[in-house]
Amino acid sequence: MNKLTLRENFEVARRVTKRAAKRVAEPNTILSLTVAIGAVWLIGAVEGMMLLRSGHRSFSFMWRYGKVNILPSIIWNTRPPALIARKIGRDPEVILRSFDLKTSTAAGLQLNVMGLQTFRSILAGWVGIAQILNIVQQASIANEEYKQSIRDGKEPFLKSSSYKERVIRLSGSSSDVTDLSGDKYGPHIVPIVEDPKKWQGYVHLHSRDCRRPVIWHVPNDRYASEVWDDFEMDKSWLVETDNGDRVLIVEGDSSVGDEALALGYDACNDLNLQEASQAYRMLYKKLRNIKGGQEDDRIVRVLLGDSNSTITSGGGHQITLRDRIDILNDVDIFIDAKVPLINEIVNWSKRILENEDHNKIVFDTSNSKYYNTLVEILAKHNIDIVDALPQHLTYPRIVYQKTTSDTLNTIRSLVFADVIPTEKCCALLDKKHGLDQIKDISEEIGSPVSYICSSLIYDNLYYDVRSKIRSGMCNDEIQSMLDKKFENVLGDSK
């Protein structure tokens, strides 16, 4: 799945090779190599001088002899002196000594020449092997640097990628919906993250052993800084609409931050409106500088957040997130995070209560903030949320505990204890792995367990908006459709 293409592999190899070459070419390495090569050449030149007859000193021969024997020295080889003499236009029989071994002087001279050859080969062999080992080591280090750069979200995305029409997702420090979107759409989703350490699981799943960059790191409060300088995208990232426009879609997830679900009234998002707005602006600048870009290429700014979360001024006055967006036009299309989730809860509750002679739903949770929110909102739909008390055991219930495992284990215990049938239970999930776990628990119980997954809801909403953008629908039309779809859920929502 999502294997690298041949072109992508070549680009990865070029990047690693470039890193390795830069390390090999460090000044200290170059200096030591130059000194060693110079020493091998000098020994060869002295050796060449000893091969010349007295009165026939030729600096050209000495220079050439030392130079051509640098590489052969690595494998204990020597180029024939006669061949070198012919190369420089001299007669070997005239300028080169003849070692007839009739005298001890001639034998000693030849032994000295052989000693220099040995010393030259030892030095060259040592340097050659050392450099080969150094290159291998630097290549290994360069490869690990490349992988670490991907883990850190600092490696530019591959220009040769076969993935077109990509969607940039501002994901804050964590984003459950982006985890799910990555599984569904792979590298078409480009997460912009504040804390790469929290995204190592995502990198492991989608980077093909840290060979394909899949995230980009923008630290908290640095959305308008130089961290975007190396962020690279091209015209293939743009989505072509049915009316011929080319659009860069940037989606922001300002839904829940460190909270699990967008069911509270307090703002808890780690990607705030200011950060999202700054990111939109920086990415618009990138769009304008795309090679092959067109004048009418445009950006569509999408934000998922709680419309009723408040922003407090220094004077103590409050304005809702949605009102702020409508006034300043920081966002083109706003997706409410709370209303669609509440809508699914209301729909399930109404459906299950059709066969009941009461209007009570148990909310089995330890989160008092979420509990109070559902009590208030569902009361507007004539649904009475009650606590998980012994006298309420037989009522239909929505279960949300601290972890997905706790939630599903609670349902399992209720069903196996014959307290309540499976069809009257609904698991409230936030993360993608809950979808796999609920399949397992359903198989164990022997019947399907109903669930409402916020990540799945949000991913579907993002997809719906992208589909409408692709169809050529204008931003105002899309916003109007979203608002109308959920206008009666909270009763007082915009």
Side-chain angles (χ1 to χ4, degrees), residues 47-313:
E47 183 184 328
M49 181 185 68
M50 297 178 67
L51 292 172
L52 294 171
R53 294 179 184 272
S54 300
H56 290 278
R57 294 288 183 253
S58 171
F59 289 103
S60 176
F61 175 84
M62 294 162 55
W63 165 266
R64 182 68 65 117
Y65 186 87
K67 185 179 73 170
V68 300
N69 279 302
I70 291 175
L71 288 179
S73 299
I74 297 176
I75 57 173
W76 288 68
N77 199 354
T78 300
R79 295 289 183 259
L83 186 62
I84 298 171
R86 287 295 184 189
K87 175 66 178 176
I88 64 173
R90 304 293 296 273
D91 186 351
E93 295 184 359
V94 174
I95 68 170
L96 297 180
R97 291 180 182 274
S98 176
F99 296 101
D100 54 13
L101 304 181
K102 291 182 178 179
T103 65
S104 60
T105 302
L109 185 61
Q110 187 167 3
L111 285 173
N112 289 336
V113 170
M114 295 174 68
L116 289 174
Q117 290 176 347
T118 300
F119 184 47
R120 165 168 57 82
S121 296
I122 291 174
L123 179 59
W126 175 77
V127 171
I129 293 173
Q131 287 306 309
I132 291 172
L133 293 176
N134 180 54
I135 290 172
V136 171
Q137 181 184 26
Q138 298 308 324
S140 177
I141 294 173
N143 187 56
E144 184 54 38
E145 283 181 347
Y146 174 76
K147 290 186 174 183
Q148 190 59 47
S149 181
I150 289 177
R151 297 186 193 102
D152 293 339
K154 296 179 180 179
E155 187 66 27
F157 293 89
L158 299 178
K159 297 178 181 179
S160 58
S161 175
S162 59
Y163 290 92
K164 312 301 180 186
E165 298 191 340
R166 306 179 82 170
V167 176
I168 298 174
R169 177 74 60 78
L170 307 177
S171 304
S173 63
S174 62
S175 172
D176 294 335
V177 62
T178 303
D179 278 340
L180 179 60
S181 299
D183 279 359
K184 294 176 70 174
Y185 307 111
H188 286 290
I189 301 295
V190 179
I192 309 298
V193 307
E194 294 181 3
D195 186 358
K197 292 180 181 178
K198 293 183 178 180
W199 289 82
Q200 293 311 297
Y202 188 96
V203 172
H204 176 74
L205 284 175
H206 302 289
S207 67
R208 303 300 298 180
D209 191 28
C210 289
R211 293 180 62 78
R212 174 190 288 129
V214 292
I215 63 172
W216 187 257
H217 178 211
V218 176
N220 187 34
D221 296 328
R222 298 284 304 282
Y223 281 85
S225 70
E226 72 286 348
V227 295
W228 296 101
D229 290 352
D230 294 329
F231 182 84
E232 297 179 357
M233 58 183 182
D234 56 48
K235 63 181 182 180
S236 70
W237 287 37
L238 305 182
V239 175
E240 294 190 12
T241 68
D242 291 347
N243 55 14
D245 290 344
R246 298 197 310 182
V247 179
L248 175 66
I249 299 178
V250 183
E251 301 171 341
D253 178 14
S254 182
S255 57
V256 294
D258 291 332
E259 293 281 350
L261 296 168
L263 288 179
Y265 277 112
D266 298 326
C268 54
N269 47 289
D270 62 339
L271 176 74
N272 59 46
L273 181 59
Q274 284 286 357
E275 292 172 329
S277 179
Q278 292 167 26
Y280 295 143
R281 178 166 55 84
M282 300 301 287
L283 288 166
Y284 178 75
K285 289 182 179 180
K286 288 286 183 179
L287 173 63
R288 294 272 63 89
N289 294 321
I290 283 181
K291 184 178 180 181
Q294 299 174 0
E295 186 70 25
D296 55 354
D297 290 342
R298 60 189 176 91
I299 184 174
V300 176
R301 305 165 297 173
V302 182
L303 184 66
L304 172 70
D306 183 355
S307 61
N308 286 327
S309 65
T310 56
I311 301 171
T312 305
S313 69

Side-chain angles (χ1 to χ4, degrees), residues 345-346 348-354 356 358-364 371 374-375 378 382-388 392 395-399 424 426:
I345 294 173
V346 169
W348 181 86
S349 300
K350 287 182 176 180
R351 187 169 60 253
I352 205 70
L353 287 174
E354 287 179 354
E356 301 290 330
H358 57 81
N359 67 337
K360 293 180 172 54
I361 296 287
V362 173
F363 188 21
D364 193 340
Y371 181 86
L374 283 191
V375 168
L378 267 66
N382 196 32
I383 298 173
D384 187 11
I385 292 293
V386 297
D387 207 354
H392 300 150
Y395 293 158
R397 68 178 57 205
I398 298 170
V399 181
K424 287 189 177 184
C426 180

Side-chain angles (χ1 to χ4, degrees), residues 447-489:
S447 60
V449 177
S450 298
Y451 63 88
I452 296 171
C453 178
S454 59
S455 295
L456 187 59
I457 293 170
Y458 299 152
D459 180 74
N460 288 336
L461 286 168
Y462 276 134
Y463 177 79
D464 287 343
V465 169
R466 292 197 299 271
S467 297
K468 289 177 172 60
I469 293 172
R470 185 187 295 277
S471 72
M473 189 177 293
C474 73
N475 298 336
D476 290 342
E477 287 181 288
I478 299 173
Q479 187 66 69
S480 178
M481 289 182 66
L482 286 172
D483 292 342
K484 187 173 181 61
K485 181 177 181 180
F486 300 112
E487 62 183 353
N488 297 318
V489 175

